[in-house]
Amino acid sequence: MEFYRYTLPNGIRGIHRQVKSGVVHCALAINAGSRDELPSEYGLAHFTEHGFFKGTARRKAYQVNCRLENLGGELNAYTTKEDTTIHATTLKSDFAKAVELISDVAFESVFPEREMAKEREVICDEINTYKDSPSEMIFDEFEDMLFAGSELGHNILGTKQALRRYGTENILNFRRRTHTADQMVFASTGNISPETAKAAAMRYFAERPATSRNYKRTEPALCDRFDRRVVKHTHQAHCIIGNRACGILDARRLPLALLVNILGGPSANSLLNVTVREKHGLSYNIDASYNAYIDSGIVAVYFSSDNCNADLCLELIDGQIRKLQQTPISTRRLSMAKKQFMAQLAISMEGNEGYMLGLGKSLLVRDEVDTLKDICRKIEMLRAEQLTEVANEVLSDNSILLYK
């Protein structure tokens, strides 16, 4: 069996994958992100994540930061729209220390006002960094517009003004409401037995309170198409064209993922790279992406180009999308696309840390995990007609955001 699953008495779920490696990766994935913030809390999920490193009931901030680093390992965390993850990498011999530290910062962080005041300024600097990078800022603005009025319609970092209102009590209230045991998964991978992994989780997580979430997320309502052109006085034009897409639990997710890979995936033979970059030499950066949430998603094409070439790029992109909508992919092309997609997935799974984080996310959201063999079998069954259908369902009436 490739994965070993277990559930602790308090409801925290666990998953372990044993591999031949002297390095162990582990993470606590929490099903709480920026979409779980109240309107008065925008930016608080991310602020809470930063606060995990600022001291616990038994450790000062420098002790949190040095606990694993002094052993050559590392502790880190990140926040998305839907989850917060605390993860660690250590040698096999230090696995228990990593589990204990993750438990300590997840449940015993005290978020001292003095430390959080300094961290507030760090995040303000992070916000400034995004504002100085149009290629990154445009994604946040596009998504805010695409999900306007919904839980997903605000960026993860929040605003400087909002951050300066938050104190320790705000963070503790947010964590108490959203970081509940029934919304947590502990994932691990390394050359340790499933019994050892579970024993460590039992030791450091099982005595935590058996809490449960008392609210439900609201599915985002549909929004009107938009075409917004913003004067930024940048050297290049930056543009996103895209639309709402299906969520993680939707049966159309896999055909859409394959379609997006064909359209503008990372390979040099993607339709957009061949047409816009190789054939016409109009853009150095052009790609398509699909980001799925639990109940919705976003599919987008991003490119940068000379300002004078932006409209031609949009025309060429529209042409490739229309071809996918009107003409089913040939049997030969579909077969090649499937093999390419499956190989990309297999290569990505060679990275144990990324694979481990994916396991935790899958179990957290779907309460199940597919093996690579399972995924490949599903890809092999996809038909050209399914890709044409999803192209028409998702890639029609696209919205546009352009910086010039």
Side-chain angles (χ1 to χ4, degrees):
M1 183 166 55
E2 186 171 351
F3 311 120
Y4 174 75
R5 293 178 52 177
Y6 56 91
T7 302
L8 302 181
N10 57 8
I12 296 177
R13 288 163 288 167
I15 186 166
H16 177 69
R17 178 175 180 249
Q18 187 169 0
V19 296
K20 293 181 179 180
S21 173
V23 175
V24 176
H25 305 281
C26 58
L28 181 68
I30 306 165
N31 195 28
S34 61
R35 79 172 295 177
D36 298 290
E37 298 163 343
L38 302 174
S40 60
E41 297 176 329
Y42 290 171
L44 198 51
H46 179 252
F47 195 33
T48 300
E49 175 235 306
H50 275 240
F52 284 141
F53 300 86
K54 300 306 165 186
T56 70
R58 55 179 296 198
R59 287 184 171 96
K60 299 293 184 182
Y62 76 90
Q63 292 174 317
V64 171
N65 291 324
C66 292
R67 174 62 169 158
L68 297 183
E69 276 74 2
N70 286 347
L71 301 171
E74 62 178 32
L75 175 73
N76 213 332
Y78 60 84
T79 306
T80 73
K81 295 260 177 155
E82 293 188 325
D83 56 84
T84 300
T85 299
I86 309 167
H87 57 103
T89 298
T90 65
L91 293 178
K92 172 184 173 182
S93 57
D94 297 319
F95 173 64
K97 297 182 179 68
V99 181
E100 185 276 327
L101 183 61
I102 290 176
S103 177
D104 193 33
V105 299
F107 294 95
E108 301 295 339
S109 287
V110 294
F111 311 102
E113 290 283 5
R114 182 177 177 181
E115 292 292 336
M116 297 311 296
K118 291 186 288 185
E119 201 60 27
R120 196 177 289 116
E121 298 309 311
V122 171
I123 297 176
C124 286
D125 186 61
E126 187 177 357
I127 292 172
N128 289 337
T129 300
Y130 271 84
K131 289 182 176 180
D132 280 342
S133 178
S135 62
E136 294 184 4
M137 186 172 68
I138 194 171
F139 279 91
D140 279 345
E141 186 174 352
F142 184 78
E143 192 158 354
D144 289 353
M145 295 170 66
L146 203 62
F147 289 103
S150 76
E151 298 169 349
L152 294 168
H154 62 280
N155 69 62
I156 295 168
L157 297 181
T159 65
K160 298 177 186 178
Q161 294 79 6
L163 284 170
R164 293 193 170 103
R165 295 198 308 266
Y166 304 147
T168 299
E169 195 59 32
N170 300 101
I171 297 174
L172 292 172
N173 288 337
F174 177 78
R175 185 179 67 172
R176 191 178 303 116
R177 180 171 62 87
T178 62
H179 291 201
T180 52
D182 67 324
Q183 302 295 328
M184 295 182 179
V185 165
F186 181 69
S188 56
T189 185
N191 195 16
I192 55 177
S193 68
E195 293 76 19
T196 299
K198 182 179 179 180
M202 283 289 294
R203 180 177 179 184
Y204 296 112
F205 288 109
E207 292 185 0
R208 302 300 181 180
T211 53
S212 58
R213 179 167 291 177
N214 60 7
Y215 69 90
K216 290 185 178 181
R217 291 168 170 168
T218 303
E219 184 175 346
L222 296 176
C223 69
D224 295 331
R225 179 190 179 277
F226 57 85
D227 187 337
R228 185 180 180 192
R229 316 285 171 124
V230 183
V231 177
K232 290 283 186 178
H233 301 293
T234 52
H235 291 289
Q236 287 183 303
H238 298 268
C239 184
I240 289 185
I241 173 172
N243 212 336
R244 292 274 192 92
C246 45
I248 291 174
L249 305 179
D250 197 304
R252 296 171 296 171
R253 182 190 177 196
L254 196 56
L256 178 57
L258 178 57
L259 178 75
V260 169
N261 201 57
I262 294 169
L263 177 63
S267 296
N269 66 347
S270 72
L271 296 177
L272 294 181
N273 193 71
V274 170
T275 302
V276 178
R277 175 174 174 165
E278 300 300 331
K279 185 176 180 180
H280 290 88
L282 298 176
S283 176
Y284 176 70
N285 293 308
I286 183 165
D287 59 67
S289 60
Y290 167 43
N291 186 20
Y293 298 118
I294 291 176
D295 49 11
S296 189
I298 178 171
V299 62
V301 173
Y302 164 80
F303 71 87
S304 60
S305 70
D306 282 347
N307 284 306
C308 61
N309 292 328
D311 288 334
L312 179 54
C313 287
L314 283 169
E315 183 180 327
L316 292 171
I317 291 167
D318 185 62
Q320 292 302 313
I321 291 174
R322 288 182 181 277
K323 286 181 181 179
L324 290 172
Q325 293 173 327
Q326 297 170 0
T327 307
I329 297 172
S330 68
T331 301
R332 180 174 177 273
R333 180 63 194 270
L334 181 59
S335 177
M336 291 171 57
K338 288 178 179 179
K339 289 179 181 178
Q340 181 186 62
F341 193 37
M342 289 186 287
Q344 289 170 344
L345 289 172
I347 291 170
S348 70
M349 289 180 176
E350 283 294 301
N352 288 330
E353 182 179 33
Y355 196 1
M356 178 271 303
L357 294 171
L359 292 178
K361 174 72 173 179
S362 181
L363 188 60
L364 190 68
V365 174
R366 301 168 56 233
D367 200 33
E368 62 181 30
V369 177
D370 290 330
T371 65
L372 178 61
K373 186 176 181 180
D374 293 331
I375 298 171
C376 290
R377 185 174 64 252
K378 293 177 181 178
I379 293 172
E380 287 283 11
M381 293 173 63
L382 294 176
R383 307 184 314 277
E385 292 76 13
Q386 289 176 277
L387 274 63
T388 304
E389 289 173 6
V390 79
N392 282 281
E393 291 171 358
V394 178
L395 296 176
S396 297
D397 298 320
N398 291 301
S399 293
I400 298 172
L401 176 59
L402 175 65
Y403 290 171
K404 295 186 75 173

